[in-house]
Amino acid sequence: MAGIPPAPSPGVVGKKPARRCAEVCLELLCAESVRLFHDKQSGPAAAAALEAVGYRVGQQLAERYTRDKPRLGDTLEIIKFVCKDFWLALFKKQVDNLKTNHRGVYVLQDNGFRWLQRLSPPAPGADPGREEAARQLALSYLHLPCGIVRGALCHLGVTCTVEADPKQMPSCTFTIRIMA
Amino acid sequence: MGIACVAFIGPQNNPMYLRSIDPASDDLYMKLHYVVHCSLDAVEEKVLLKRGPGDSQDAYLGLLYPTEDYKVYGYLTNTHVKIIVLLDDEGTVKDEAVMRVFRRLHGLYVDTASNPFHKFGLPLSSPRFDGAVDGIVSIYRGAGASQGGFMT
């Protein structure tokens, strides 16, 4: 369980254990931020605003998580860093599959995207209308993580766009297109 | 003796922070700006040189080049932020001590950048940042003094 910090062992005197936050707080914050932005602004503007928030957070997280790492060389190394260490720190697992067409498009597949875990997927065999509605809802939750990934990549020197596609919830693919 | 100047340069070679540890006149600041600016070329050279397969891809770049008054040391983060430190030590300089200073400066920068109100690309102007830089610099000075140099 990520939430409860362990009781300090008797041998350790004076050193406070690192403070931690329960994961449910992050989940509630994400859900509420999606609701808040969509209430205040209409569709595309809310999406852009959430993406912008994610962008700033991504830049700051890139600073923090690359801090003690050896120098990342080319674009592929940076993408692999995002797939492994960055994803691990942010979503507690690594990206499951990375594909590229070697021409500037990378597709990251996460078979259990953590920030979509709380969205109930449409029942199998449900009508397409309901599936589409569920997909749209999932998309609204993906603007923030897309922004985070884009912010991190741009801050590491890879200018790109990031799009998410919640194919089979909670599995999700992220498509990174490098801008020349 | 010790660290004369600390500078942070952003990814677009934009100066984010340059500070002389001892109080400096405007002329001295111009000179420090000039030295730091020249050191950016040396940073790029060092990075290109280190691209060989056997070299350690570390953030610490070591001594970039010596000028008549200072020794210029560099550090390049993964986000292309350069940290430049000017030493006016006359004796031999311990690489580990300088590396330690750079790591702490990097940590300070990461913590400062994590501020939600921080805007990337703009100069860093905060008394707290100045105070923290002073703290890090004084640790180096303390280490140097214990090696028996003259303190005037």
Side-chain angles (χ1 to χ4, degrees):
Chain A
M1 260 295 274
I4 306 161
S9 56
V12 177
V13 172
K15 189 165 159 102
K16 294 198 297 202
R19 291 167 58 167
R20 299 156 86 175
C21 176
E23 190 174 357
V24 67
C25 297
L26 178 64
E27 291 170 2
L28 290 171
L29 179 64
C30 288
E32 181 59 18
S33 64
V34 171
R35 188 199 68 79
L36 179 77
F37 276 82
H38 277 90
D39 275 356
K40 288 203 161 181
Q41 295 159 54
S42 63
L50 277 169
E51 220 256 354
V53 170
Y55 186 83
R56 175 182 59 77
V57 172
Q59 287 179 312
Q60 295 170 322
L61 290 178
E63 288 282 1
R64 191 167 284 278
Y65 293 143
T66 57
R67 185 180 151 184
D68 293 313
K69 294 239 162 307
R71 181 109 24 86
L72 297 166
D74 57 358
T75 305
L76 185 60
E77 272 182 43
I78 297 176
I79 302 262
K80 287 207 277 202
F81 160 77
V82 166
C83 289
K84 295 192 186 154
D85 300 322
F86 194 75
W87 221 263
L88 195 63
L90 212 52
F91 306 118
K92 300 212 178 150
K93 62 187 285 290
Q94 297 187 356
V95 162
D96 293 305
N97 199 343
L98 170 66
K99 291 193 278 246
T100 174
N101 72 351
H102 295 291
R103 257 176 291 192
V105 179
Y106 297 84
V107 178
L108 280 61
Q109 180 164 341
D110 188 333
N111 291 332
F113 190 58
R114 212 164 173 95
W115 288 9
L116 287 181
Q117 298 278 18
R118 300 296 176 194
L119 291 182
S120 43
D127 61 278
R130 199 178 267 184
E131 284 200 16
E132 185 54 31
R135 195 168 165 279
Q136 287 303 320
L137 183 65
L139 273 176
S140 69
Y141 278 78
L142 289 170
H143 297 302
L144 193 58
C146 281
I148 293 179
V149 171
R150 190 172 75 90
L153 285 169
C154 291
H155 205 57
L156 290 167
V158 177
T159 322
C160 60
T161 62
V162 179
E163 266 173 49
D165 187 13
K167 287 196 163 81
Q168 287 281 97
M169 298 216 290
S171 160
C172 185
T173 57
F174 291 83
T175 306
I176 301 176
R177 276 172 233 281
I178 313 286
M179 314 216 296
Chain B
M1 289 300 245
I3 297 182
C5 170
V6 170
F8 286 81
I9 318 284
Q12 270 81 43
N13 283 350
N14 46 314
M16 292 197 302
Y17 185 80
L18 189 144
R19 170 120 173 280
S20 162
I21 301 303
D22 302 316
S25 63
D26 281 342
D27 277 345
L28 185 56
Y29 261 110
M30 289 290 281
K31 183 172 173 199
L32 292 174
H33 268 287
Y34 176 71
V35 171
V36 169
H37 193 79
C38 291
S39 69
L40 295 179
D41 287 331
V43 166
E44 283 183 32
E45 260 183 60
K46 264 269 163 102
V47 169
L48 283 173
L49 279 176
K50 276 194 167 190
R51 281 258 175 94
D55 294 330
S56 71
Q57 296 284 327
D58 205 17
Y60 177 64
L61 298 171
L63 177 66
L64 295 176
Y65 70 105
T67 70
E68 55 199 36
D69 298 317
Y70 307 111
K71 296 189 187 143
V72 182
Y73 284 80
Y75 183 98
L76 178 66
T77 72
N78 270 314
T79 52
H80 308 294
V81 169
K82 296 128 199 129
I83 311 181
I84 310 286
V85 158
L86 268 60
L87 293 181
D88 58 11
D89 265 352
E90 260 137 55
T92 49
V93 175
K94 280 200 144 172
D95 250 4
E96 303 94 60
V98 183
M99 217 185 297
R100 235 176 295 136
V101 168
F102 273 122
R103 295 225 184 279
R104 295 194 62 162
L105 286 172
H106 191 182
L108 171 65
Y109 173 70
V110 165
D111 288 338
T112 307
S114 303
N115 185 332
F117 297 103
H118 177 255
K119 295 221 176 354
F120 284 98
L122 292 187
L124 296 162
S125 58
S126 132
R128 187 181 281 190
F129 192 82
D130 290 337
V133 169
D134 280 332
I136 295 172
V137 166
S138 65
I139 290 178
Y140 178 81
R141 203 165 264 186
S146 72
Q147 282 170 27
F150 282 115
M151 294 281 284
T152 50

